Amino acid sequence: MPSLSLRINLDPDGRIGPGKIELLEQIAAFGSISAGARQMKMSYKHAWGLVEDMNRVFGKPVVATSHGGKRGGGAELTPVGLAVVSRFRAIERAAAAAAEPHISALQADIEAA
Amino acid sequence: MPSLSLRINLDPDGRIGPGKIELLEQIAAFGSISAGARQMKMSYKHAWGLVEDMNRVFGKPVVATSHGGKRGGGAELTPVGLAVVSRFRAIERAAAAAAEPHISALQADIEAA
């Protein structure tokens, strides 16, 4: 069954897609940027670059980091980061549901051609 | 205003996005693969590779070419190619309309955070 892959183009040159969203979800799940990066099979440096890119695009931090303490610091999503993830997933679901009849119609067109 | 960029993932490894759709539209508008490629600022070879990729993904040709004649041959979209373009544009419109309230909500979340 065909699926949609969706990116949001934000002014002026920011793009948010499934990769950045999954990175945020992994950071939230593991409480650390480096663990999130490892789950995504990317370097810490690359993951940090993606986080910084999102901070710039949204004008506010999406991840909050803490240093020291018993567990040697960590990272969690800010309210902005949480909103970005949940709204993006909602946008995906809404878009997929709206597209579904058109995708079925396309498949029927192709079979009939 | 944010906009959506959308790709359709087709089995097993075919992807259709805005670039391939615009190429088909340019081929239809100019009646030739080489003129369509020129509009897209891509080589004929690259354009032909994208057309072949779509032929494979949909299992039927999306472009029909003719040789000779007064105007030295040309290209036009097949019924499958026409269906792919019009359904893709319909999918984009439906997805954008469905996503719109969620994108507005995300912007409000970010401003309020």
Side-chain angles (χ1 to χ4, degrees), chain A residues 3 9 60 87 109-110 113, chain B residues 3 5 9 60 87 109-110:
Chain A
S3 67
N9 306 307
K60 294 177 184 175
R87 296 292 185 186
D109 288 343
I110 291 167
Chain B
S3 68
S5 163
N9 307 306
K60 294 177 183 175
R87 296 294 186 186
D109 288 344
I110 291 168

Side-chain angles (χ1 to χ4, degrees), chain B residues 28-96:
Chain B
F30 289 89
S32 130
I33 294 176
S34 58
R38 208 150 43 230
Q39 290 296 315
M40 301 285 293
K41 298 187 202 308
M42 61 175 69
S43 68
Y44 178 84
K45 197 183 160 191
H46 186 63
W48 180 243
L50 294 178
V51 169
E52 278 196 310
D53 189 49
M54 288 188 272
N55 292 345
R56 179 187 59 74
V57 163
F58 294 112
K60 294 177 183 175
V62 293
V63 173
T65 54
S66 59
H67 294 282
K70 251 193 209 162
R71 297 173 54 210
E76 59 179 10
L77 301 193
T78 63
V80 169
L82 292 167
V84 166
V85 169
S86 65
R87 296 294 186 186
F88 184 88
R89 293 306 187 194
I91 289 165
E92 277 188 327
R93 285 191 299 273

